[in-house]
Amino acid sequence: MLRFLTAGESHGQALVVMLDGMPAGLQLDIDALNAQLRRRQGGYGRGRRMAIESDHVEILAGVRHGRTTGAPISLLVRNRDWVNWQQTMHVEAEMPEGATGVQRPDVTRPRPGHADLAGAVKYGHTDIRNVLERASARETAARVAAGSLARQLLARFGVRIASHVSVVGDAMLPEGRTVSFDEAVAIAEDAPLRCADADVQQRMIAAVDAARDAGDTLGGAFEVIATGVPIGLGSHVQWDRKLDGRLGQAMMCIHAIKAVGIGIGPEVAVRPGSRVHDEIRPAGEAGVPLRPSNNAGGLEGGVTNGEDVRVMGFMKPISTLMNPLRSVDLTTMREELAAIERSDVCAVPAAAVVGEAMVAFVLADAFLEKFGGDSIDEIDAHYAATAEQVRQRFAARHEVSEPA
Ligand code: EPS
């Protein structure tokens, strides 16, 4: 079983993540891991924080001479911004000598849409900062670090993952426009909104600019595509083993995600069966049957079917508005405008990168379930044997005679 836990506040010293269950012997590419963190920092519409940070990992445990040992892997991503927040965020009971930054007043006016109100009541905090620091999407840097290791395991077996942004506010790809894996992977890393269509991207930029000018924020949608996924990850036999359910949970728990779609997603509700289900066509000698379409997003019955896995995430607008919504001050219980924290206008491109990380994590977990072993060598052997069984199964031809 692959699992990870994160810790860390947005303006604390660092984020940490522990990934447990990685097999031994995987050669790691640390530069590739840091490149994923850089991707998450990008995108048109991010706030000033990303100009301060330059996220990179320090590996504390579980790796020796560039390879995983099978032990838990512990990673640390420092917050450069910490120097500006020591006086507000110090761990010690008393202000430590030489603490830098400024002491900020308590946050008492919850932002509609954020965890502020429910979190403060649930945990009994008068200073909402105790909630928002952990509820912040800064935590997703730790997820991307963990997901990047999962991605490297999958890549070892030919699974590759990419994403693209399909909607920002009212700017979106035209209906029926499918973005292939190759198209998604070819999107330039500095593409402002990670959109596959240049014209739509221009409209997305204009939408973000308009929202910024209005003191408002924008959400949107993105799609994660995994290619090279073998048949048979997940299972139809039990609710908690269905891979679409597991992907749904993993996507839904990303900050600000309010809906998830697999394949054509909500569109299945309005089309007739004949335009939803992907026909199964004979293949050539020894090949797997062909699927002329992939509306199912690579998942049937909660099991991967060998087609690209396609998962959409729908993100609400960031809940810190520079032109704030009405709220209540929890100290006076009088009407006030919601608090303003430094924030982003739009973070959909970053969420897409986080989505890739979460999909990588779930697929790697399911991959280890099916092909598992304690070392890469064991997994190699199991994977090759299964691939050969599948090949033989599809190569076999048995004529069935009609009953007399
Ligand atoms: C984020 C860091 C945060 C925000 C954003 C995501 O930095 P700061 O709060 O210092 O500006 O930019 O978090 C939120 C939008 C949120 O609501 O918490 C990051 O590293 O991605």
Side-chain angles (χ1 to χ4, degrees):
M1 182 175 56
L2 197 62
R3 53 195 171 150
F4 77 87
L5 289 174
T6 74
E9 281 74 37
S10 181
H11 305 103
Q13 301 171 53
L15 299 161
V16 289
V17 54
M18 189 191 287
L19 180 67
D20 185 60
M22 282 288 274
L26 180 68
Q27 179 89 49
L28 292 184
D29 181 343
I30 310 300
D31 290 342
L33 200 166
N34 286 323
Q36 292 300 333
L37 289 175
R38 250 192 324 278
R39 292 177 72 220
R40 192 203 70 93
Q41 287 198 266
Y44 194 75
R46 297 307 298 275
R48 280 169 293 135
R49 175 73 183 271
M50 289 305 112
I52 298 172
E53 301 299 339
S54 160
D55 292 341
H56 64 274
V57 290
E58 294 166 42
I59 300 185
L60 305 180
V63 181
R64 190 157 177 247
H65 305 160
R67 284 179 191 272
T68 56
T69 63
I73 299 173
S74 184
L75 307 172
L76 180 115
V77 180
R78 287 185 199 278
N79 291 325
R80 279 187 162 190
D81 207 14
W82 165 241
V83 292
N84 303 314
W85 287 80
Q86 285 182 20
Q87 289 205 12
T88 302
M89 293 297 294
H90 62 85
V91 172
E92 300 81 358
E94 302 301 329
M95 178 78 72
E97 190 125 343
T100 53
V102 291
Q103 207 169 355
R104 290 168 174 79
D106 286 1
V107 181
T108 57
R109 291 166 288 129
R111 290 160 295 170
H114 218 282
D116 296 359
L117 176 61
V121 173
K122 178 175 167 66
Y123 287 91
H125 292 307
T126 48
D127 183 0
I128 292 171
R129 180 158 304 286
N130 285 329
V131 176
L132 71 87
E133 284 289 335
R134 181 62 186 155
S136 165
R138 175 84 189 132
E139 186 260 354
T140 60
R143 296 196 201 187
V144 169
S148 171
L149 297 177
R151 177 194 287 262
Q152 292 189 23
L153 172 67
L154 291 168
R156 174 78 172 61
F157 296 93
V159 180
R160 294 190 298 146
I161 298 173
S163 68
H164 67 98
V165 171
S166 52
V167 181
V168 169
D170 61 3
M172 60 193 77
L173 292 178
E175 216 183 307
R177 167 79 157 83
T178 306
V179 174
S180 68
F181 176 83
D182 289 341
E183 242 184 309
V185 97
I187 295 172
E189 280 311 331
D190 58 357
L193 283 150
R194 308 187 57 75
C195 181
D197 181 301
D199 292 337
V200 177
Q201 184 157 266
Q202 280 311 312
R203 283 196 278 119
M204 288 175 170
I205 290 172
V208 172
D209 288 342
R212 185 188 289 109
D213 291 348
D216 216 329
T217 55
L218 280 185
F222 61 86
E223 186 183 39
V224 178
I225 310 169
T227 199
V229 183
I231 297 183
L233 304 191
S235 177
H236 62 282
V237 303
Q238 194 60 272
W239 68 272
D240 60 350
R241 294 179 61 192
K242 285 179 178 267
L243 199 67
D244 38 12
R246 290 157 64 180
L247 286 166
Q249 201 266 334
M251 291 287 272
M252 204 73 173
C253 71
I254 299 171
H255 305 67
I257 301 300
K258 293 301 265 185
V260 178
I262 306 257
I264 58 171
E267 184 68 24
V268 297
V270 293
R271 292 194 197 179
S274 56
R275 289 189 46 236
V276 169
H277 303 301
D278 308 302
E279 287 193 306
I280 305 170
R281 310 281 304 138
E285 281 301 301
V288 294
L290 296 174
R291 311 303 293 269
S293 58
N294 182 21
N295 295 335
L299 281 151
E300 290 171 303
V303 187
T304 55
N305 63 7
E307 299 297 306
D308 288 355
V309 170
R310 306 183 75 108
V311 191
M312 291 184 282
F314 299 85
M315 186 182 195
K316 70 183 179 182
I318 303 271
S319 44
T320 303
L321 272 58
M322 294 304 147
N323 188 9
L325 295 171
R326 286 183 298 181
S327 180
V328 166
D329 189 309
L330 297 184
T331 316
T332 63
M333 292 308 286
R334 279 202 290 269
E335 180 174 316
E336 298 281 355
L337 294 176
I340 297 178
E341 285 277 312
R342 177 181 57 196
S343 191
D344 308 318
V345 178
C346 173
V348 184
V353 176
V354 180
E356 288 182 31
M358 292 307 291
V359 167
F361 171 74
V362 171
L363 291 181
D365 185 32
F367 187 92
L368 289 174
E369 235 165 59
K370 176 140 180 76
F371 301 109
D374 295 312
S375 67
I376 288 291
D377 288 348
E378 282 181 11
I379 300 169
D380 266 342
H382 195 175
Y383 182 83
T386 306
E388 177 55 21
Q389 275 169 19
V390 172
R391 197 194 64 75
Q392 284 180 16
R393 163 159 197 162
F394 286 130
R397 299 281 182 278
H398 304 285
E399 291 307 325
V400 180
S401 51
E402 292 293 323

